[in-house]
Amino acid sequence: MKQTLAVDMDEVLADPVTKMCDWYARDYGVSITAADLQGHALSALVPPERSHIFHDYLNTPGFFRDLPLLPDAVTVMERLNEKYELFIVSAAMEFPNSLKDKYDWLGEYFPFLHWQQICLCGSKVIIQTDIIIDDRSRNFVRHRGRKLLFTAHHNVLEKECERVNNWQEVASLLL
Amino acid sequence: MKQTLAVDMDEVLADPVTKMCDWYARDYGVSITAADLQGHALSALVPPERSHIFHDYLNTPGFFRDLPLLPDAVTVMERLNEKYELFIVSAAMEFPNSLKDKYDWLGEYFPFLHWQQICLCGSKVIIQTDIIIDDRSRNFVRHRGRKLLFTAHHNVLEKECERVNNWQEVASLLL
């Protein structure tokens, strides 16, 4: 039997951060640079009274529908889909207006995935797979498989996890 | 730590079957009775050329938004939510237009559930909890916890599973 592999969406397959920064610049006239982001949550970089704005952006219908792909995500995922029992596992339930957009986005860029392979959840504590790739180490706490932390701006200072910096590194490790 | 408990939605918390039969009667002038349903899939009770119609109904925006509750579901779930780490796990991804409706329906009838407790998935093979309540025994195949088959018209002839016939029986077993 193939090993099961769970792959996160945001900041792993898709880039929502650039769009959040673009919208923030549009609305407040303030640029957040890549250098600003290193080691920080986006909400920590803005005045406290604006920290809700990113949640509002993420729950805007359409926000997730046209996000850019991370480099090599499609080609590596297509090969992983041959070797593993592959699942998309995204903690999307915090943003209920994102659910259909995420489904449609996956259908557009990953047409080789079946609907049975998509899981839009709240907490990931009930997800158990042989391997998980995620940019949030909080999703590893109760996971019993191999955990691969996908590098994202907010996790660059974390030292504890096995890390993959990009999809080519995922390919080297898992294919 | 509390035990984890996964609870299915359709034919466990909500009744989609009555509405499917109502819509079928509206569209084709044919009544499907409770007696007809016993031991059968709905799609097996109609001519093969119409077997797709139930999928179409289930993917109609709004279909899941106003489904009736099964008796005692809310009161028993509210108590289960105190005793267990409770999750809603629904294989909703086959019907992408149902996702937001299901989220909103849960918010209306189960306001004590947090978004972190909701999981709308495709296959349930990556879900592992201490206990699962589901009307589809196919969802038990790779589950390693205690499995409770919630009686529904289509599963009445199945003999292999530990069974609960209604929410009062769930309360007796788990509370």
Side-chain angles (χ1 to χ4, degrees), chain B residues 84 146 148 162-164 168-175:
Chain B
Y84 295 90
R146 182 179 182 185
L148 297 175
E162 185 178 14
R163 183 182 287 275
V164 282
Q168 285 305 332
E169 287 191 16
V170 174
S172 298
L173 271 182
L174 298 185
L175 289 171

Side-chain angles (χ1 to χ4, degrees), chain A residues 85 116 118 120 122-123 142, chain B residues 85 116 118 120 122-123 142:
Chain A
E85 193 176 1
Q116 291 188 325
I118 303 172
L120 301 179
S123 165
R142 287 161 65 178
Chain B
E85 193 176 1
Q116 291 188 327
I118 303 173
L120 302 180
S123 165
R142 286 162 64 177

Side-chain angles (χ1 to χ4, degrees), chain A residues 68-175:
Chain A
L69 288 157
L70 266 67
D72 305 315
V74 172
T75 51
V76 176
M77 283 285 282
E78 190 160 16
R79 292 166 63 203
L80 290 169
N81 194 43
E82 300 291 321
K83 181 172 177 183
Y84 295 89
E85 193 176 1
L86 182 59
F87 297 91
I88 303 295
V89 181
S90 173
M93 215 51 65
E94 187 173 2
F95 311 108
N97 289 326
S98 77
L99 301 173
K100 182 66 160 49
D101 287 336
K102 283 177 170 254
Y103 177 94
D104 290 338
W105 186 88
L106 288 168
E108 179 175 349
Y109 292 110
F110 300 85
F112 48 86
L113 296 177
H114 190 273
W115 60 260
Q116 291 188 325
Q117 295 172 267
I118 303 172
C119 178
L120 301 179
C121 59
S123 165
K124 297 188 185 181
V125 300
I126 59 174
I127 305 298
Q128 292 297 342
T129 51
D130 294 304
I131 308 167
I132 184 171
I133 302 174
D134 206 297
D135 68 308
R136 300 279 177 188
S137 57
R138 66 179 181 228
N139 292 324
F140 296 161
V141 175
R142 287 161 65 178
H143 195 274
R144 295 190 291 267
R146 182 178 182 185
K147 304 146 187 66
L148 297 175
L149 186 69
F150 199 98
T151 296
H153 69 90
H154 59 80
N155 70 29
V156 291
L157 302 179
E158 295 187 43
K159 302 289 187 196
E160 294 74 18
C161 298
E162 185 178 12
R163 184 183 286 275
V164 282
N165 288 302
N166 53 56
W167 279 97
Q168 286 303 333
E169 287 192 15
V170 174
S172 298
L173 271 183
L174 299 184
L175 289 171

Side-chain angles (χ1 to χ4, degrees), chain B residues 51-168:
Chain B
S51 62
H52 68 90
I53 196 73
F54 299 111
H55 186 285
D56 296 348
Y57 291 165
L58 293 169
N59 204 31
T60 301
F63 183 90
F64 286 91
R65 183 61 188 87
D66 61 355
L67 292 184
L69 288 156
L70 265 67
D72 305 314
V74 172
T75 52
V76 176
M77 284 284 284
E78 191 159 16
R79 293 166 62 202
L80 289 169
N81 194 43
E82 299 291 322
K83 182 173 177 182
Y84 295 90
E85 193 176 1
L86 182 59
F87 297 91
I88 304 295
V89 181
S90 173
M93 214 51 65
E94 188 173 2
F95 311 109
N97 289 325
S98 78
L99 301 172
K100 182 65 163 46
D101 288 336
K102 283 177 170 253
Y103 178 93
D104 290 338
W105 185 88
L106 288 167
E108 179 175 350
Y109 292 111
F110 300 86
F112 48 86
L113 296 177
H114 189 273
W115 60 260
Q116 291 188 327
Q117 295 172 267
I118 303 173
C119 178
L120 302 180
C121 60
S123 165
K124 297 188 185 181
V125 301
I126 59 173
I127 305 297
Q128 292 297 341
T129 51
D130 294 304
I131 308 168
I132 184 170
I133 301 175
D134 206 297
D135 68 309
R136 301 278 177 188
S137 58
R138 67 177 179 228
N139 292 324
F140 296 162
V141 173
R142 286 162 64 177
H143 194 274
R144 295 189 292 266
R146 182 179 182 185
K147 305 146 186 66
L148 297 175
L149 186 69
F150 199 97
T151 295
H153 69 90
H154 58 81
N155 69 30
V156 292
L157 302 179
E158 294 186 43
K159 302 291 187 194
E160 294 73 19
C161 298
E162 185 178 14
R163 183 182 287 275
V164 282
N165 288 302
N166 53 57
W167 279 97
Q168 285 305 332

Side-chain angles (χ1 to χ4, degrees), chain A residues 24-81:
Chain A
Y24 188 75
R26 174 197 71 190
D27 294 344
Y28 295 98
V30 178
S31 290
I32 298 170
T33 68
D36 296 333
L37 286 165
Q38 296 305 298
H40 299 289
L42 204 43
S43 59
L45 298 172
V46 304
E49 66 273 18
R50 295 181 191 162
S51 63
H52 67 91
I53 196 71
F54 299 112
H55 186 286
D56 296 348
Y57 291 164
L58 294 169
N59 203 32
T60 301
F63 182 89
F64 286 91
R65 183 60 189 88
D66 61 356
L67 293 183
L69 288 157
L70 266 67
D72 305 315
V74 172
T75 51
V76 176
M77 283 285 282
E78 190 160 16
R79 292 166 63 203
L80 290 169
N81 194 43

